[in-house]
Amino acid sequence: MGHSERAHALLSASGSKRWMNCPPSPRLEEQFPESKSEDAILGTFAHELAEHLLRGNLTTELKPSIYKKKLIEFQKNPLYSQSMLEYIEQYKTIVGEKYLTLKKDCKDAFILLEQELNYSSWAQDGSGTADVVLISEGVIEIVDLKYGQGVPVSAVGNPQMRLYALGAINEYSMLYDFDKVRMTIIQPRLDSVSEDEITVQELLEWGETEVKPVAALAFAGEGEYKSGDHCQFCRAKAVCRKRAEDNLEMARYEFQNPNILTHDEIAVILEQADALQKWAKDIQEYALDQAENHGVKFPGWKLVEGRSNRKYTDKEAVATKLKEEGYSTEVIYQPQEIWGITDMEKKIGKKLFADYLKDLVIKPAGKATLAKESDPRPELSSVASAVKDFDDDILS
Ligand code: SF4
């Protein structure tokens, strides 16, 4: 079955951060159709390519001729790029090294790709598909590829990885006595590899004490709604009342001075600004889709035509006409322009891009931005404090 045709369990491993934080969300989501963003479509394609590379290089399942033929098919897909192949090669190398290391200690170690794992003993009807499972004497290792380039995802305490691990223990503990579980998340586009290791005993305790009770609530559609970062991929996110109430709570904030905000009050607003912006954007997109595609009327709002730009119906005909009128090619055609860095990297690949162009690319200092104190980037000095330091130096 292709990756994109897979059905997700109600209590899916990939959605576990959400349902473990907000147990009623899976049942609420059932009312809304699943939709796939462009990023998600690209991610699915990258996973299919990754599976093919691993199957062709780390297993004996594919004849070399079939492997090559299928790789050519991947390369014809418009979603394919040289840089994608390189990112997936990096992932393949890390998985290959892990597999070889296990084989050194246990010659019977084996690798499973795109393995369906059932953890329904802890979460009703719970199952999910792990990208890679490595089985060896004493150790189970789960590896997950994430192709997005948003934020690095930590494997430490990650419920998705732990649910896969529970499923793997459930399935393979007949073969070996496991005492350790390793979990690795690889995000090649962010250069991020995050690992966690726990004992099987700790994992089973987590399953009993943290998963079981919450999963029972989630399956029944009960428990408390709770909004947060985990709302990002919830299908109910635009119309969820709890999320709206939490975001609107700020509007009821009681400010000390009726006319001017204090710095402390601005800090409180900044804390919520990101969540508010995301929420407002989700509502705008949802309302537009409902009005445009489902005929919904929102009181006081109407569907109108947006701005558009003029465009040529036939560029060749435009050029021919202007030539006939005596215009030179400099007037008719734009000068050739070099591709931007991201596109060029996609075209020639990350490695060759670095080999040929590393001395011709600079990264200017970014514009100052406000970040939480917990952000790992070092703090910049403000223009005002730089001026003060300068004045102090002159006076001293
Ligand atoms: S939007 Fe957030 S709070 Fe609402 S159901 Fe989904 S996860 Fe829960």
Side-chain angles (χ1 to χ4, degrees):
M1 185 192 286
H3 292 218
S4 55
E5 290 131 44
R6 285 180 192 148
H8 287 288
L10 181 80
L11 303 185
S12 68
S14 55
S16 56
K17 186 179 169 201
R18 182 170 62 257
W19 59 257
M20 287 191 69
N21 274 290
C22 178
S25 61
R27 290 293 178 198
L28 188 69
E29 274 198 307
E30 284 183 317
Q31 301 174 37
F32 304 93
E34 245 182 284
S35 62
K36 270 206 151 188
S37 66
E38 280 178 22
D39 283 349
I41 293 167
L42 186 71
T44 302
F45 179 75
H47 273 79
E48 287 170 347
L49 178 64
E51 180 190 353
H52 182 65
L53 257 63
L54 293 182
R55 231 176 257 294
N57 289 279
L58 301 183
T59 77
T60 50
E61 292 169 35
L62 293 180
K63 281 188 192 159
S65 58
I66 308 266
Y67 172 75
K68 274 191 196 143
K69 195 169 157 228
K70 184 100 198 279
L71 189 57
I72 292 169
E73 278 172 34
F74 274 107
Q75 287 167 336
K76 286 182 189 156
N77 192 305
L79 295 174
Y80 177 89
S81 66
Q82 181 61 29
S83 62
M84 176 187 274
L85 180 65
E86 286 173 17
Y87 286 129
I88 301 301
E89 293 266 8
Q90 283 172 24
Y91 162 73
K92 183 197 81 185
T93 304
I94 299 170
V95 174
E97 282 166 3
K98 283 180 175 294
Y99 186 30
L100 280 182
T101 308
L102 287 181
K103 276 250 177 214
K104 268 187 206 152
D105 293 336
C106 169
K107 67 175 176 33
D108 294 330
F110 58 95
I111 183 168
L112 298 160
L113 302 176
E114 297 302 319
Q115 187 62 27
E116 171 92 18
L117 297 168
N118 185 309
Y119 49 86
S120 54
S121 304
W122 297 271
Q124 197 165 341
D125 296 345
S127 68
T129 309
D131 296 332
V132 175
V133 183
L134 297 163
I135 309 277
S136 68
E137 184 65 49
V139 185
I140 271 194
E141 185 148 3
I142 310 287
V143 185
D144 191 50
L145 165 70
K146 295 202 184 297
Y147 194 68
Q149 51 181 352
V151 288
V153 179
S154 171
V156 180
N158 187 298
Q160 178 183 8
M161 303 301 285
R162 288 186 172 197
L163 287 174
Y164 289 147
L166 281 175
I169 297 282
N170 191 38
E171 194 87 22
Y172 299 103
S173 51
M174 306 281 276
L175 292 179
Y176 292 115
D177 280 335
F178 300 113
D179 48 37
K180 266 191 288 189
V181 177
R182 274 191 216 120
M183 293 155 285
T184 305
I185 294 177
I186 302 172
Q187 291 173 281
R189 291 167 91 194
L190 293 175
D191 228 355
S192 168
V193 178
S194 173
E195 295 183 298
D196 194 19
E197 182 177 303
I198 56 172
T199 64
V200 169
Q201 188 56 32
E202 286 167 328
L203 180 71
L204 293 173
E205 267 172 37
W206 175 79
E208 285 301 316
T209 58
E210 298 198 34
V211 178
K212 256 191 185 174
V214 181
L217 287 174
F219 195 79
E222 293 169 1
E224 303 247 324
Y225 285 99
K226 183 180 160 200
S227 70
D229 288 349
H230 53 269
C231 296
Q232 189 189 355
F233 297 110
C234 180
R235 301 209 292 272
K237 66 182 178 180
V239 289
C240 169
R241 185 170 296 280
K242 175 65 177 161
R243 189 179 182 218
E245 281 172 358
D246 287 352
N247 278 296
L248 290 170
E249 187 64 27
M250 198 189 69
R252 289 192 281 279
Y253 185 84
E254 291 200 5
F255 295 112
Q256 297 163 14
N257 182 323
N259 299 318
I260 294 172
L261 295 175
T262 65
H263 289 177
D264 284 350
E265 287 166 346
I266 288 174
V268 171
I269 295 171
L270 285 172
E271 184 78 29
Q272 305 221 15
D274 264 357
L276 271 172
Q277 278 171 3
K278 281 185 192 143
W279 173 62
K281 189 165 165 275
D282 289 338
I283 292 209
Q284 285 169 334
E285 286 174 2
Y286 172 82
L288 176 61
D289 174 65
Q290 289 295 305
E292 192 174 10
N293 301 316
H294 304 281
V296 175
K297 284 279 288 174
F298 295 96
W301 292 84
K302 64 182 177 183
L303 202 59
V304 295
E305 194 178 312
R307 283 163 187 263
S308 77
N309 293 322
R310 296 176 301 162
K311 59 180 196 181
Y312 297 124
T313 53
D314 181 342
K315 286 187 183 174
E316 287 298 315
V318 171
T320 307
K321 176 69 182 159
L322 291 176
K323 277 179 202 161
E324 282 168 12
E325 296 299 332
Y327 288 96
S328 66
T329 52
E330 287 78 31
V331 174
I332 300 171
Y333 295 103
Q334 289 183 9
Q336 268 190 356
E337 221 188 301
I338 202 154
W339 285 103
I341 289 178
T342 309
D343 286 326
M344 190 69 87
E345 209 172 46
K346 265 191 191 169
K347 283 174 184 298
I348 68 174
K350 213 168 164 265
K351 189 176 173 307
L352 290 184
F353 182 92
D355 286 354
Y356 299 155
L357 305 175
K358 73 171 185 307
D359 295 335
L360 296 171
V361 175
I362 55 155
K363 193 168 186 303
K367 253 175 91 177
T369 183
L370 275 176
K372 303 272 287 283
E373 267 180 7
S374 55
D375 190 287
R377 287 168 288 185
E379 185 163 14
L380 296 178
S381 50
S382 67
V383 174
S385 67
V387 169
K388 185 173 175 304
D389 289 349
F390 181 74
D391 290 347
D392 290 348
D393 280 353
I394 289 193
L395 293 172
S396 61

